[in-house]
Amino acid sequence: MIAGLAGRTDQALREVWLAARAHGYHAGMLALSARSAHASVDELIEHCAAVAATIPLVGFTQTAVGGISVPEDFWTRFARIENVIAVKLAPFDRYKTLAAVRGTVAAGAQDKVTLYTGNDDHIVLDSLTPYRVMRDGQPVTVRTCSGTGASGPAPPYSCSSAAIAAVASGTVDVELLAMDSKVTDCTAAVFDVLNRFAGVIPGCYEVLRRQGLLQGTWCLDPNEKLSPGQADLITRVANDHPELVDDAFVAANLDRWLTA
């Protein structure tokens, strides 16, 4: 189990205590908030190292949800922290994704740090792509794992299993390439890309509500609601891409899950 951690060092450490000591979480995914935007790389690494000293750490930065953009040097130094075990790459930017991959390889940490893709606009191709970068004059090949999952349109297991099978066989079918655009279409609706992700949380909740896993789409912030037209978009992508909808799977297991 991976807990989300945020805030300044003192807050993040309190969250570690709550997650690991009180609830048994195995690792923490650390978000660098917008409040850190003016911090130096030295300060950011000091913050990350302090948290990693208390729990295995997963790095995470996504500007779409309040994170900050960091340079390649940050990723090199971050990957060298002893208790860093993974990075979720979700900048929605090919150049920044490559910078994080290069930084991890420059640290010699590609066998220690698992790279998960959270680039929802490119997630299938991310899972298929061999990232080949140079270190000390030699090519190093790195692959990412799929690190994004939501029930409903674009179920993660179908995309991930197909990508894994393609990588193992060394053959990528054109239909698998086409799946990338379909998954992107689905995530655009659920995550409310048209409104700069304003309805991302209620969008996920709406899918779960329709499947009977939630009773509503209420959020901690009462003003955080589905954007106008977002529900119709979710309906549209479900109808357009029925092969990516897992409603039948959820329905077959719903009673067992809700009574477990």
Side-chain angles (χ1 to χ4, degrees):
M1 297 191 297
I2 301 175
L5 307 173
R8 294 185 173 91
T9 304
D10 56 348
Q11 177 183 329
L13 291 176
R14 288 195 299 270
E15 293 182 358
V16 168
W17 183 91
L18 181 65
R21 305 295 187 272
H23 296 288
Y25 278 79
H26 304 102
M29 185 165 69
L30 182 63
L32 299 175
S33 70
R35 290 180 298 179
S36 305
H38 301 295
S40 67
V41 171
D42 286 344
E43 291 170 325
L44 293 174
I45 292 299
E46 182 180 358
H47 167 66
C48 295
V51 179
T54 62
I55 194 171
L57 199 60
V58 178
F60 175 70
T61 180
Q62 183 176 335
T63 56
V65 291
I68 64 173
S69 178
V70 292
E72 184 175 326
D73 179 55
F74 168 85
W75 292 115
T76 301
R77 296 176 61 182
F78 180 79
R80 286 176 177 154
I81 297 173
E82 182 177 354
N83 210 21
V84 165
I85 60 171
V87 174
K88 181 178 179 183
L89 306 171
F92 291 22
D93 184 304
R94 308 309 301 156
Y95 304 109
K96 292 177 182 178
T97 296
L98 285 170
V101 172
R102 285 197 307 268
T104 303
V105 172
Q110 68 276 3
D111 294 327
K112 174 181 81 83
V113 177
T114 301
L115 299 176
Y116 293 95
T117 174
N119 290 316
D120 304 300
D121 58 346
H122 205 64
I123 201 157
V124 174
L125 291 185
D126 264 359
S127 300
L128 294 171
T129 299
Y131 291 89
R132 190 160 293 135
V133 298
M134 302 298 291
R135 187 181 70 232
D136 300 330
Q138 298 296 321
V140 177
T141 300
V142 175
R143 289 188 180 273
T144 65
C145 306
S146 176
T148 293
S151 191
Y157 55 82
S158 64
C159 303
S160 297
S161 61
I164 290 169
V167 169
S169 68
T171 303
V172 178
D173 185 86
V174 67
E175 288 302 315
L176 185 55
L177 296 177
M179 185 188 290
D180 185 70
S181 62
K182 295 179 181 180
V183 172
T184 300
D185 192 26
C186 291
T187 56
V190 177
F191 297 160
D192 196 24
V193 171
L194 288 179
N195 296 287
R196 302 186 66 177
F197 304 94
V200 57
I201 295 176
C204 292
Y205 289 176
E206 172 64 11
V207 173
L208 298 174
R209 184 197 66 79
R210 295 183 185 194
Q211 295 180 323
L213 289 164
L214 290 179
Q215 293 183 346
T217 62
W218 313 289
C219 299
L220 291 175
D221 181 351
N223 295 316
E224 196 166 5
K225 300 178 180 179
L226 288 170
S227 294
Q230 188 180 0
D232 291 337
L233 283 177
I234 293 173
T235 299
R236 194 269 298 167
V237 297
N239 290 334
D240 285 356
H241 312 296
E243 72 278 17
L244 296 180
V245 174
D246 61 354
D247 290 356
F249 172 74
V250 173
N253 292 276
L254 188 61
D255 289 343
R256 178 170 62 86
W257 290 341
L258 295 182
T259 59

